[in-house]
């Protein structure tokens, strides 16, 4: 340990860094200089960081953006404020925080009206700048949301990305009303498991899908009254049957491809499909005739606004939204966590605790 290397830090901090892309990529646990905050930035002491499919795409180098290596991955961060730059107001050391992973500029026309998910200068934490699989991370203070005392760091790290995405879909991009029928696709997934709970809290009746018995059981445990086998091509007919042939008012979709086509078959007159992903296919055939006759909507959704993350943490504090955590792992086991997520050997979230 040479003093120059760790200047200006007091002690080194540990980070797991990606040093080469691949499937699996190459990770190294490194001692890095203690971080410092300047201007409007803060240093957050990371207490927990969730693992997401986005991290796998970053690991593989599969994102359509250049990534500089080495890079500390991890975008779903909870922790405490450690230090703040001179321009930061309203935050002090020890404050419990969740971090918004789509770091917005705060100045463009969309940010000015609170639509940070549409920011023109969006930067992804853990992709374009170092993220949370480390003991510390530097983020702009505007990306912080206060974490209620009743929400643990692990719960926050398991909810702040997928659940706030679902919150944005169900309370911003689409509007769920008391008594609505909602179809939440893939109820054991991050977005799906949150969507079931949010729809129920809004007074909706929920139908979900899952590819295994365990996933369907989880969807029911979270509040779905019906969980259908996603592998059975006839599942949309079951949705129509369960709703007295009328179909559902809102579909929360994040798979794309043929699943989106199946979802359209489940949609009631005047219904809305809100979608935030296309892992099963980007190109979808749409029969426009029934679509306009039934006056349906197909709505895109991406990320979350600051207000969505705040509401997510508030609902978590009120026990309306509970995380589904598979396992909490130490920093040293990050490569293993990536492998498990890739092999889909996970039910709920993997959370890393530095
Ligand atoms: Zn902006």
């Amino acid at each position: 340990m040479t003093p120059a290397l760790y200047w200006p830090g007091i002690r080194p901090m540990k980070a797991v860094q990606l040093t080469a892309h691949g499937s699996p990529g190459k990770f190294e646990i490194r001692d890095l200089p203690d971080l410092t905050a300047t201007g409007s930035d803060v240093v957050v002491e990371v207490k927990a960081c969730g693992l997401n499919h986005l991290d796998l795409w970053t690991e593989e180098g599969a994102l359509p953006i250049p990534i500089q290596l080495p890079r500390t991955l991890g975008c779903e961060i909870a922790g405490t404020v450690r230090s703040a730059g001179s321009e930061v107001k309203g935050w002090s050391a020890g404050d419990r925080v969740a971090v918004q992973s789509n770091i917005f500029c705060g100045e463009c026309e969309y940010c000015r009206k609170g639509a940070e998910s549409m920011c023109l200068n969006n930067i992804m934490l853990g992709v374009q700048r170092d993220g949370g699989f480390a003991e510390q991370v530097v983020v702009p203070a505007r990306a912080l949301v206060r974490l209620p005392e009743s929400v643990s760091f692990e719960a926050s790290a398991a909810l702040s990305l997928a659940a706030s995405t679902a919150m944005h879909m169900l309370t911003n991009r689409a509007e769920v009303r008391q008594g609505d029928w909602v179809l939440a696709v893939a109820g054991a997934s991050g977005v799906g498991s949150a969507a079931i709970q949010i729809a129920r809290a809004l007074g909706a009746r929920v139908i979900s899908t899952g590819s295994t018995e365990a996933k369907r059981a989880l969807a029911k445990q979270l509040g779905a009254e019906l969980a259908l086998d996603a592998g059975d091509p006839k599942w949309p007919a079951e949705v129509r049957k369960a709703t007295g042939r009328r179909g559902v008012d809102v579909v929360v979709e994040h798979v794309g491809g043929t699943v989106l086509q199946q979802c359209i078959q489940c949609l009631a007159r005047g219904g809305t499909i809100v979608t935030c992903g296309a892992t099963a296919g980007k190109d979808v055939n749409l029969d426009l005739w029934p679509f306009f006759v039934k006056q349906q909507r197909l709505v895109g959704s991406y990320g979350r606004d600051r207000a969505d993350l705040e509401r997510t943490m508030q609902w978590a504090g009120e026990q309306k939204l509970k995380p589904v955590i598979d396992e909490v792992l130490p920093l040293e086991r990050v490569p293993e966590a990536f492998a498990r997520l890739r092999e889909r050997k996970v039910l709920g979230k993997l959370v890393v605790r530095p």
Side-chain angles (χ1 to χ4, degrees), residues 104-108 110-111 119-121:
F104 49 93
C105 73
E107 286 165 8
C108 73
Y110 299 103
C111 284
C119 176
L120 297 170
N121 309 302

Side-chain angles (χ1 to χ4, degrees), residues 54-346:
L54 175 66
D55 295 308
L56 294 188
W57 295 330
T58 311
E59 179 192 18
E60 291 162 12
L63 294 169
I65 41 173
I67 297 164
Q68 223 180 342
L69 300 181
R71 173 68 75 222
T72 306
L73 278 50
C75 51
E76 207 166 18
I77 301 167
T80 53
V81 173
R82 180 181 162 87
S83 59
S86 57
E87 293 162 29
V88 174
K89 291 187 181 74
W91 296 101
S92 36
D95 283 350
R96 303 172 85 250
V97 294
V99 179
Q100 179 151 357
S101 59
N102 52 314
I103 296 186
F104 49 93
C105 73
E107 286 165 8
C108 73
E109 65 165 295
Y110 299 103
C111 284
R112 282 202 304 269
K113 58 183 180 188
E116 293 93 356
S117 60
M118 297 187 197
C119 176
L120 297 170
N121 309 302
N122 177 51
I123 286 175
M124 286 190 282
L125 189 56
V127 180
Q128 289 153 295
R129 56 187 282 167
D130 283 338
F133 295 136
E135 290 176 325
Q136 299 167 18
V137 65
V138 174
V139 294
R142 63 180 175 277
L144 301 182
V145 162
R146 215 167 283 279
L147 192 59
E149 280 301 325
S150 55
V151 182
S152 71
F153 294 117
E154 288 83 3
S156 170
L159 288 170
S160 56
L161 202 84
S164 65
T165 298
M167 188 65 84
H168 187 61
M169 295 173 88
L170 286 166
T171 64
N172 178 304
R173 304 299 293 147
E175 205 183 324
V176 174
R177 282 169 294 235
Q178 179 89 27
D180 275 355
W181 275 104
V182 171
L183 169 63
V185 170
S189 65
V191 171
S193 61
I196 293 171
Q197 298 179 70
I198 294 165
R200 281 296 304 270
L202 293 167
R205 299 180 69 178
V206 180
I207 299 172
S208 189
T209 62
S211 58
T212 66
E213 193 57 55
K215 288 177 179 178
R216 292 192 289 275
L218 175 61
K220 280 186 153 178
Q221 198 190 321
L222 293 170
E225 57 189 89
L226 193 63
L228 299 165
D229 183 356
D232 177 359
K234 293 199 188 87
W235 70 260
E238 293 298 316
V239 173
R240 298 206 71 91
K241 207 156 99 186
T243 54
R245 309 219 62 79
R246 84 183 270 286
V248 299
D249 302 285
V250 175
V251 180
V252 182
E253 209 284 316
H254 49 98
V255 182
T258 52
V259 176
L260 190 108
Q261 289 174 319
Q262 289 173 313
C263 288
I264 291 173
Q265 296 170 32
C266 301
L267 201 59
R269 286 172 182 265
T272 300
I273 295 185
V274 55
T275 181
C276 73
T279 43
K282 291 184 285 187
D283 297 317
V284 177
N285 273 324
L286 175 65
D287 183 352
L288 273 177
W289 201 281
F291 185 73
F292 71 72
V293 168
K294 293 181 183 175
Q295 302 187 64
Q296 295 165 329
R297 291 184 181 89
L298 177 58
V299 176
S301 189
Y302 182 69
R304 82 270 332 136
D305 297 337
R306 199 172 185 282
D308 298 310
L309 183 57
E310 280 174 332
R311 186 177 298 138
T312 300
M313 290 306 145
Q314 188 192 328
W315 283 30
E318 293 164 4
Q319 304 293 313
K320 288 199 279 192
L321 199 45
K322 292 185 186 122
V324 182
I325 297 176
D326 183 292
E327 195 182 347
V328 180
L329 305 131
L331 207 51
E332 297 73 37
R333 288 174 64 194
V334 162
E336 177 198 327
F338 274 72
R340 275 178 59 191
L341 187 63
R342 176 171 294 110
E343 289 157 21
R344 300 186 177 275
K345 286 180 181 161
V346 183

